[in-house]
Amino acid sequence: MNGVAVGHKIQCKSEYTTLKNVLVVKPSFMRITEIINETQKHYENNNINIPLALQQHEAFVEVLEANGANVSELQAVSSLPEQVFTRDIGFTIHDELFVATMNEQVRKSEVNTVKAFLQENEISYQEGFPGSIEGGDVVVDGSTIWVGNSGRTSQVAIQELQKRLPAYTVEPLSLRQDILHLDCVFNIISEEVALVYPPAFTKDDLRKLEARFQLIHVTEEEQFYMGPNVLSIGDGKIVSLSQNKRLNRILSAHGFRVLSVDFSEIIKSGGSFRCCTLTLERS
């Protein structure tokens, strides 16, 4: 893993162009402490095998680096069991980086590590949202920014984001109560194609997505195993969970190159590949 150049360029206009710079945290202290989502409830009794989680995370990082991404690592902190999910603590929209306002007490201090990193690398950022907003709810689609109105991202924060981004259309999507973040049920994988878990959305919001994208539907089981939470890394390449075999076949049939990675230990805490990457720059 390399460092980021001082004053590094911040850029993310989509979810699928070439991934150039990204922030991760090793799952060194990952564990399910207080149940904050449905997936954790399911795995509460067998919890996280940390050596296996570390091995799987390392294999994922190797795939990113082998495909040209520069991967920087934030310091893992023993008191932050959810820290592996760096996507939530910040989000890049075009040339602006925003530090999130976390909703759950167990995660609030995570923003301190990312702010220290950004300051050290002279990367400017915005923060201080009213209510709460987390990066897993923010999906960039050119001049449209889709934002999940979830238990983690409030209406007041979405309105504030629109205020700060007058040149863009911030499009809220109401999520079913048990859904953690937007990227657990929706992910844009090319200019025309997106993955979606339809039951998570209202009829009106689903119609908005159908009008904009060719949608690949994921099943309930695939959603439980974080099927939509793939990571597009450019040139049609998608990092996807090896266990989601049906979905991976469909992606391949649509012309995507699927890079299968076993992330079975990480997903026990309710997140997968997109959740584990805070994008700083895409080409």
Side-chain angles (χ1 to χ4, degrees):
M1 295 194 197
N2 306 309
V4 171
V6 169
H8 191 79
K9 187 180 179 190
I10 294 297
Q11 183 173 288
C12 178
K13 296 180 182 178
S14 80
E15 298 291 334
Y16 50 82
T17 49
T18 303
L19 186 64
K20 295 185 80 170
N21 276 288
V22 67
L23 274 182
V24 303
V25 174
K26 281 182 180 164
S28 309
F29 305 106
M30 191 180 179
R31 65 195 179 282
I32 298 169
T33 50
E34 48 189 274
I35 305 299
I36 57 171
N37 61 59
E38 290 300 310
T39 314
Q40 287 185 344
K41 197 183 288 178
H42 182 82
Y43 289 111
E44 181 183 10
N45 294 329
N46 61 356
N47 223 296
I48 310 293
N49 175 336
I50 289 179
L52 181 55
L54 282 164
Q55 191 183 318
Q56 291 178 351
H57 192 267
E58 194 174 323
F60 170 50
V61 167
E62 281 170 9
V63 168
L64 298 184
E65 291 182 328
N67 285 277
N70 177 59
V71 182
S72 300
E73 192 182 306
L74 294 177
Q75 186 65 43
V77 178
S78 61
S79 60
L80 300 174
E82 299 283 303
Q83 204 187 2
V84 68
F85 301 127
T86 51
R87 172 72 59 166
D88 299 329
I89 56 176
F91 46 96
T92 304
I93 298 176
H94 290 248
D95 54 0
E96 293 283 350
L97 195 146
F98 299 87
V99 171
T101 302
M102 307 299 284
N103 184 65
E104 295 287 342
Q105 197 58 46
V106 71
R107 301 202 64 187
K108 287 189 181 212
S109 299
E110 288 179 34
V111 297
N112 298 333
T113 52
V114 76
K115 287 201 286 189
F117 172 88
L118 297 171
Q119 288 158 12
E120 197 180 303
N121 288 279
E122 295 178 22
I123 298 170
S124 63
Y125 60 89
Q126 294 190 38
E127 60 175 332
F129 283 86
S132 61
I133 186 166
E134 299 186 357
D137 278 321
V138 179
V139 175
V140 181
D141 178 23
S143 61
T144 301
I145 316 301
W146 302 94
V147 184
N149 187 0
S150 67
R152 302 296 184 87
T153 296
S154 60
Q155 189 62 46
V156 66
I158 297 172
Q159 288 164 351
E160 174 65 19
L161 184 65
Q162 179 63 87
K163 244 185 254 175
R164 295 191 192 188
L165 296 171
Y168 304 105
T169 303
V170 173
E171 194 69 71
L173 297 167
S174 297
L175 298 179
R176 202 174 71 189
Q177 204 174 359
D178 62 312
I179 301 298
L180 181 57
H181 286 124
L182 179 61
D183 67 5
C184 297
V185 290
F186 170 66
N187 200 343
I188 303 169
I189 54 174
S190 78
E191 196 172 342
E192 297 88 22
V193 183
L195 298 177
V196 73
Y197 176 59
F201 298 92
T202 66
K203 285 193 173 73
D204 284 350
D205 284 351
L206 195 56
R207 274 196 286 269
K208 280 185 207 169
L209 296 176
E210 285 167 347
R212 165 69 184 89
F213 300 103
Q214 179 188 347
L215 296 176
I216 296 174
H217 291 194
V218 304
T219 64
E220 186 178 0
E221 186 184 13
E222 286 162 348
Q223 195 279 320
F224 180 79
Y225 290 107
M226 294 292 135
N229 202 264
V230 296
L231 184 70
S232 299
I233 57 174
D235 299 322
K237 290 182 280 194
I238 295 177
V239 184
S240 181
L241 190 73
S242 48
Q243 287 85 340
N244 283 326
K245 291 188 171 23
R246 184 203 76 101
L247 181 59
N248 292 342
R249 280 198 303 273
I250 290 170
L251 289 171
S252 298
H254 276 76
F256 295 99
R257 186 174 155 210
V258 176
L259 308 175
S260 293
V261 175
D262 182 3
F263 228 41
S264 52
E265 211 56 33
I266 308 276
I267 67 165
K268 285 181 179 180
S269 209
S272 193
F273 304 109
R274 188 180 189 271
C275 292
C276 288
T277 49
L278 169 45
T279 296
L280 297 178
E281 185 187 6
R282 286 183 180 271
S283 65

